[in-house]
Amino acid sequence: MASGRENFGSSTAAVLAMAGSAIGLGNIWRFPYMVGSNGGAAYIIVYLLLAIFLSLPILLSETIIGRSTASNTFGAMEKLAPGTRWKWVGLLTIVSPLIILSYYSVVGGWSIEFLWKSVAEGFGETSPELFGGFISRPWAPLVCHTLFLALTAGIVMAGVKSGIEKFNNISMPLLFVLIIVIMVYSISLPGASEGVEYLVKPDFSKLTPSAIASAMGQSFFSLSLGVGTILTYSSYMKKDADILASGFGTAAFDLLFALIAGFAIMPAVFAAGIEPGAGPGLIFETLPYIFGTMVSSWAALGRIVSILFFLTIVVAALTSSISMYEVGAAYLVEERGMSRRKAVALIFCGTWLLGALCSLSFGPLSGFKLFGETIFNFCDKLTSNFLMSFGSMLFVIFVGWKMKKSTVREEITNGGKLKFSSKIFGVVYFFIRYIAPVAILAIFITNLLA
Ligand code: TRP
């Protein structure tokens, strides 16, 4: 089974792939808003500490399981804990990313439509209703969701090396260049300084327990934790790669991109004299409005920036969606003996259908509620508030309490060859075994009560 398995060509390629999974809609549409509304620099400091002391141990746990077994999530559990109930964890973490993929693809589709609109006609003096009108139509968003999912499927079908690795190697540097260009432009707008202030002014009074819990949730989502994406990607890592360094690299890229995205978006929002809002509203309503008004005052410039911006979103979303897709593909190929083509097709059918329901829940199906939520919101909440922290908890418990300590040490230090990793192993292990499970339980309870 493991023979003939592909690997990422180099450590850099592995880090780029993991950073590609991490950097996505979470960095662009959620992070900037959360920073601003939760205390600016104070929130950034807390977010940074959480990323290092909480998210990193989880990321490392997934990496340890993935790399040591070179298997999909189900196979990994079967190898490390054969015949136990842990295989259910393996199965759960195949289903979760596919649910995320379904609604993520709907948003990816919106981005494609907005990219197309920027290229074809620009936004002109758009009204804020543009977005609401767009997502409630049944057909266009469905077509765009199909297109986004098909692009994702195409890349995954091409394989780990010639599909996923190649796409990430080209896209990741491109994404950084694009977002930096947009940031420079945005900061240079008259009136932008208020937006900069919104992001950096520390206000410690806003750091409530629920703000901290939501920072943890944001960190999990942003680093793609708890649902087997990192596990699956790490299973393609070479045996001589440095797990600690890759983990740090991934988290650092993710944070850097989120910060740059914040400085690309908020100054433009404030320059236009608009109050920043959350989520989809921010990137699909406020920004087109801003780009539209720019077209009249700055002629072609607003149009170009809008094309670059939506291109960034589409590419960032694709590097994430392929990581979710690969989790299921690896399972079907390795455990169910399917050809890659068949596995990709099967996942396409399932996620297309659930995604279509999510898409229609903004229009014709808006009255249909599951536990009081529309289908889209239900899938989002189920995964973000529940499945991701649940999965993360199980992964850290597995590595901290079920796996042999010697195996964990072996993986982190590459059999003692990595000097720095050997030195700090004790600390890392302590965080995985004690700190992470308790902290995750705390967010879990906060989310349940919220
Ligand atoms: N991290 C990505 C983002 O910030 C989304 C993502 C990719 C994800 N894989 C995931 C989220 C797995 C949760 C779980 O947009």
Side-chain angles (χ1 to χ4, degrees), residues 19-29 96-97 100 103-104 218 220-230 254 316-317 319-321 323-324 383 388:
S21 171
I23 294 171
L25 297 167
N27 304 56
I28 302 174
W29 82 358
S96 315
I100 302 176
Y103 72 80
Y104 206 83
Q218 168 64 15
F220 281 17
F221 188 84
S222 194
L223 284 169
S224 315
L225 299 179
V227 300
T229 34
I230 296 296
D254 185 56
T319 57
S320 298
S321 61
S323 73
M324 305 174 205
T383 47
M388 297 186 58

Side-chain angles (χ1 to χ4, degrees), residues 234-269:
S234 328
S235 73
Y236 302 123
M237 249 161 107
K238 290 196 168 147
K239 291 291 175 200
D240 58 358
D242 181 339
I243 286 185
L244 268 187
S246 318
F248 266 104
T250 304
F253 276 133
D254 185 56
L255 184 71
L256 188 65
F257 193 91
L259 287 174
I260 303 176
F263 286 106
I265 292 170
M266 287 307 171
V269 171

Side-chain angles (χ1 to χ4, degrees), residues 332-345:
L332 291 176
V333 170
E334 290 168 10
E335 305 297 326
R336 303 267 141 190
M338 281 186 198
S339 65
R340 200 166 174 87
R341 181 179 284 266
K342 203 161 161 206
V344 168

